[in-house]
Amino acid sequence: MPVTPAMPAELLPAATLRPRDPARTPMRVTWVGHASVLVQVPGLNILTDPVWSDRAGPFGFGPKRVAAPGIALADLPRIDLILISHNHYDHLDLATLKKLYDRDRPAIVTSLGNDAILRSAGMTATALDWRQAERVGGATVHVVRNHHWSSRWFVDRNRALWSAFVVELPGGNLFFAGDTGMGDGNWVREAAALGPIRLALIPIGAFRFQPGQMASGAHIGPVDALDVFRRLGASWGMAIHWGTFRLSYEGWATPPRLLSAAKRCAGQGTRRFGAVPIGRPVDIAPMTAPPPPTFDRAAILRCLATGEGDALR
């Protein structure tokens, strides 16, 4: 087993900014940590895979947080819609969901089978198959295919579905990748076919289980995340699923640093897709032209191997 790079020894504080009223801003986004993101558009507050617990696991076990949630649970605005990608503990946190459900009674949209878990805790949800959709307020939520797996316990592997989401919104769609490997890659184009994507939430962490590894079967790394962003044709992208829980062996800051290095190797600018601080609201600019369609993964890997990427652990 490789030497594991150090993670922060103490819980990293989040930014102290509270989410603001987005009434005059078409889209405001705050990364809470891991795959938890607050997306605010006029008339609708959306929360993805909300996890506020200190550990991502059952009965107080599992990986411990190394970064505090970017927004205190009590400071969240009223939540209208929650998206749950799959049933792993770092994405489906019953303790957090129950508090939000009791407070706000949000609509919860997930993929098949995960509604049974929520129902066991007194919550109702709409569970959909891939390529199905549900209308919530002024938005249409599409459950779309990605490449992952599911399990809450040893005997229930792949008995519930995993998914990504496309949310149709005025001014451009929101894409939330959930947790995913690259697989056949066709799932990316299926999401893009639902309409222009203004903002894509794409995971970049938990990809390295041996030295030099750039992806795993169930998780994309920064290089493939850049490819997903390109294939989506999204105007803007936010990197998620890093720096919150220790799930693999890369260093704490390796995912965003490797993403920046990969973008330089690909000749792409730094503004369209990148990491943001936990807890800092970001106003998403209007739709703009997508990045160039060319992408040479082998050339990017060669560039990283001879440059700063090779030094990242």
Side-chain angles (χ1 to χ4, degrees), residues 27-138:
M27 182 180 285
R28 176 164 290 148
V29 181
T30 309
W31 182 41
V32 177
H34 203 52
S36 304
V37 183
L38 172 65
V39 180
Q40 297 177 277
V41 297
L44 192 67
N45 290 325
I46 304 168
L47 195 57
T48 66
D49 286 354
V51 177
W52 264 253
S53 292
D54 290 335
R55 289 189 179 273
F59 311 118
F61 295 97
K64 185 175 176 59
R65 293 190 89 98
V66 299
I71 308 169
L73 199 65
D75 289 339
L76 280 174
R78 177 183 174 85
I79 301 301
D80 304 295
L81 170 63
I82 293 177
L83 307 177
I84 300 176
S85 63
H86 64 297
N87 66 14
H88 287 159
Y89 286 93
D90 59 321
H91 293 258
L92 196 163
D93 176 17
L94 282 177
T96 296
L97 287 165
K98 182 62 172 171
K99 290 176 183 176
L100 290 170
Y101 187 83
D102 289 345
R103 191 191 76 168
D104 296 339
R105 286 296 192 270
I108 301 175
V109 179
T110 186
S111 41
L112 292 177
N114 298 306
D115 55 326
I117 301 169
L118 298 170
R119 192 163 51 248
S120 71
M123 294 175 276
T124 59
T126 298
L128 303 176
D129 201 352
W130 292 334
R131 304 181 182 89
Q132 291 185 328
E134 176 81 359
R135 188 75 175 169
V136 178

Side-chain angles (χ1 to χ4, degrees), residues 187-211:
W187 55 270
V188 186
R189 294 186 174 89
E190 293 171 14
L194 294 170
I197 295 172
R198 182 176 183 179
L199 175 66
L201 306 175
I202 305 175
I204 64 169
F207 63 92
R208 182 163 287 174
F209 296 89
Q210 60 187 24

Side-chain angles (χ1 to χ4, degrees), residues 161-196:
L161 197 60
W162 51 93
S163 68
F165 299 87
V166 173
V167 183
E168 290 188 58
L169 296 168
N173 294 347
L174 169 71
F175 174 76
F176 170 49
D179 221 352
T180 188
M182 182 58 80
D184 64 11
N186 290 330
W187 55 270
V188 186
R189 294 186 174 89
E190 293 171 14
L194 294 170

